[in-house]
Amino acid sequence: NAGVTQTPKFRVLKTGQSMTLLCAQDMNHEYMYWYRQDPGMGLRLIHYSVGEGTTAKGEVPDGYNVSRLKKQNFLLGLESAAPSQTSVYFCASTATSSYNEQFFGPGTRLTVL
Amino acid sequence: ILNVEQSPQSLHVQEGDSTNFTCSFPSSNFYALHWYRWETAKSPEALFVMTLNGDEKKKGRISATLNTKEGYSYLYIKGSQPEDSATYLCAPVSGANNLFFGTGTRLTVIP
């Protein structure tokens, strides 16, 4: 099993460009999450999904959109990238609820110039 | 949003020393607490999920305790080894069923 994978690993964008980050998991997990990691701050939740076809906002959702068309995939979109979105993005999944451990992907390092 | 504090922010210990660090969180409306270990250039990996007051969990030389009434959890490492060097994150579960991560304690074990 690959676990949780993220594509791409690195990306550099110019301000105003758009992109989509892909997260895939092969553990048949219901819940999936997108976090961002910035220096001096804990992992902050951007959006999450509790099942196929459902999404919800987390702590810092502005400037991002998500979709969960298939159970195994969770996409994070940046409509118009800003330098403030320079960060490392982590995807995670868990079986059924926040009482279960989360499994994290390897991260995507995004730089917005 | 939950106010989560971890202390110390960082510490250095000699190989073989035992150490512990603290996670403080709001004691009201407690649901669960997660501990994760995060090695440099890797992804966070779960250590424990704790739910009951007085809970104690152990994995090898690492153990954790939970006090939900006063809002804290301790993580202990016995006989630290260089491979224990990592950032240790705690994350209480909010009412919205999401995790709020602390900024972590960065542990460096000196051989």
Side-chain angles (χ1 to χ4, degrees):
Chain A
N1 286 352
V4 181
T5 58
Q6 291 182 231
T7 310
K9 289 186 167 48
F10 304 94
R11 186 75 186 267
V12 178
L13 290 178
K14 294 181 179 178
T15 297
Q17 287 185 317
S18 63
M19 78 163 292
T20 300
L21 282 67
L22 170 63
C23 175
Q25 52 92 6
D26 61 2
M27 297 174 282
N28 202 34
H29 284 172
E30 291 292 336
Y31 285 40
M32 296 185 75
Y33 308 84
W34 276 107
Y35 294 93
R36 59 178 289 173
Q37 169 69 47
D38 301 295
M41 308 191 77
L43 289 161
R44 292 184 293 167
L45 183 65
I46 304 171
H47 285 279
Y48 64 102
S49 167
V50 299
E52 182 178 316
T54 72
T55 62
K57 295 180 180 180
E59 185 185 351
V60 288
D62 294 342
Y64 305 95
N65 57 73
V66 287
S67 64
R68 183 108 181 261
L69 298 179
K70 293 183 179 180
K71 187 177 182 179
Q72 63 266 35
N73 295 338
F74 194 28
L75 277 63
L76 177 72
L78 283 72
E79 298 158 341
S80 178
S84 60
Q85 293 177 304
T86 294
S87 188
V88 182
Y89 292 85
F90 287 95
C91 175
S93 71
T94 191
T96 55
S97 76
S98 289
Y99 293 88
N100 301 119
E101 62 183 297
Q102 294 191 2
F103 293 82
F104 283 82
T108 295
R109 184 174 293 276
L110 175 66
T111 301
V112 183
L113 302 176
Chain B
I1 295 179
L2 298 182
N3 186 23
V4 184
E5 294 186 4
Q6 291 190 247
S7 61
Q9 278 191 322
S10 67
L11 75 161
H12 292 72
V13 301
Q14 290 292 137
E15 181 176 353
D17 286 351
S18 295
T19 187
N20 65 86
F21 18 94
T22 307
C23 171
S24 299
F25 52 86
S27 57
S28 58
N29 298 321
F30 177 83
Y31 295 91
L33 182 83
H34 292 226
W35 278 101
Y36 289 81
R37 169 193 159 89
W38 193 356
E39 291 182 72
T40 303
K42 293 188 177 180
S43 309
E45 291 184 350
L47 286 172
F48 308 113
V49 180
M50 309 177 79
T51 55
L52 299 176
N53 185 45
D55 222 0
E56 273 191 51
K57 298 229 173 177
K58 188 174 181 182
K59 185 182 285 190
R61 293 178 292 97
I62 303 176
S63 60
T65 61
L66 178 66
N67 184 323
T68 62
K69 296 188 187 305
E70 295 182 40
Y72 64 84
S73 176
Y74 292 138
L75 190 81
Y76 301 90
I77 302 179
K78 184 177 178 182
S80 303
Q81 299 297 308
E83 58 264 32
D84 295 328
S85 297
T87 297
Y88 292 84
L89 304 174
C90 74
V93 176
S94 75
N97 211 20
N98 294 320
L99 273 59
F100 278 90
F101 284 87
T103 53
T105 292
R106 182 187 291 271
L107 173 67
T108 303
V109 181
I110 303 163

